[in-house]
Amino acid sequence: MCVFCGKSLNLSHDDHIPGKQFFPQPRPDDLITVPAHDVCNRRYKPDEDYLRAILLATDAGKTAFGDLLWQQKAKRALDKDKGLNNAFFRSVKNFTVVTPDRLPKGSRLGLVPDWHRVKTFVEKLIRGLYWFEYGSILPQSLHIDFPRGFIEDLPGNNPYLALTSPGKRGWAGIFEYRSWCGPVNPERSMWMFIFYGTNVFVAATCKPDDRALESRTRRSTLLRTRCVEGER
């Protein structure tokens, strides 16, 4: 069965969780794969490409693996794909910088991602990794609780570290995840996704009328200027 839509597979097809485009060359030979329809796989690809561009425009792009990925593929993809380019630059905003006394002192570029697209990508991660970790497929009716924003206090005071355990597989500096699964209701779960050691997303699965996580919004204002140099 397809881990994303829950329907039977006529043809066997494996999808990577997360997508191969998040890994610089040479890629690890133990990437996670899950059974999925090709059409379900392709449905997520635009959002994966978008999130990769967003992540590499933050501190993730200053890491060794992030910079390597930017040089190898991500910059070229952003330049060549007009739809991706337009979506990325719609997320670039100009923010006013103020002093501690709330006096304006200039401006800087920052990012306000399309959180609907980010949530779609996070849902793919959860559905794929839930099958990989626990061996079952999440119901389509299950709610994905995803507070908007990057969680920045890792590993210092992040409360979700104490609630979750490391995943079965991970690649330090590129992608790691942690999870928790409810002992009574196994469809209630919590997840942390760590990209390039700098950007962390937290999400949970729960009943449609439930909210497992505190809502929050964080803006990343560490945009790499080389992504937006010059006139468009």
Side-chain angles (χ1 to χ4, degrees), residues 72 81 105 139 172-173 210 216:
Q72 287 180 345
D81 188 330
K105 58 176 295 188
D210 193 9
R216 67 175 73 193

Coordinates of all heavy atoms in Angstrom, one line a residue, residues 72 81 105 139 172-173 210 216:
Q72 N 26.3 22.5 -5.7 CA 26.2 21.4 -6.6 C 24.9 21.5 -7.4 O 24.9 21.2 -8.6 CB 26.2 20.1 -5.8 CG 27.5 19.7 -5.3 CD 27.4 18.3 -4.5 OE1 26.4 17.9 -4.2 NE2 28.6 17.7 -4.3
D81 N 14.4 27.1 -12.7 CA 13.0 26.8 -12.6 C 12.3 28.1 -12.3 O 12.4 28.6 -11.1 CB 12.8 25.8 -11.4 CG 11.4 25.3 -11.3 OD1 10.5 26.1 -11.6 OD2 11.2 24.2 -10.8
K105 N 16.4 51.5 12.9 CA 17.8 51.7 12.5 C 18.2 51.1 11.2 O 19.3 50.8 10.9 CB 18.6 51.0 13.6 CG 18.4 49.5 13.8 CD 19.4 48.9 14.9 CE 20.8 49.0 14.4 NZ 21.7 48.2 15.3
P139 N -4.0 6.8 9.1 CA -5.2 7.1 8.4 C -5.2 8.5 7.7 O -4.6 9.4 8.2 CB -6.3 7.0 9.5 CG -5.6 6.3 10.6 CD -4.1 6.6 10.5
A172 N 24.0 13.0 10.4 CA 24.3 14.2 11.1 C 24.8 15.3 10.2 O 25.6 15.1 9.3 CB 25.4 13.9 12.1
G173 N 24.2 16.5 10.4 CA 24.6 17.6 9.6 C 23.8 17.8 8.4 O 23.8 18.8 7.7
D210 N -8.3 17.9 17.9 CA -7.2 18.0 18.9 C -6.1 18.9 18.4 O -5.9 19.2 17.3 CB -6.7 16.7 19.3 CG -5.8 16.7 20.5 OD1 -5.8 17.7 21.2 OD2 -5.2 15.7 20.8
R216 N 2.8 28.6 17.3 CA 3.9 29.6 17.3 C 4.3 30.1 15.9 O 4.0 29.3 14.9 CB 5.1 29.1 18.0 CG 5.9 28.0 17.3 CD 7.1 27.6 18.0 NE 6.8 26.9 19.2 CZ 7.7 26.7 20.2 NH1 9.0 27.1 20.0 NH2 7.4 26.0 21.2

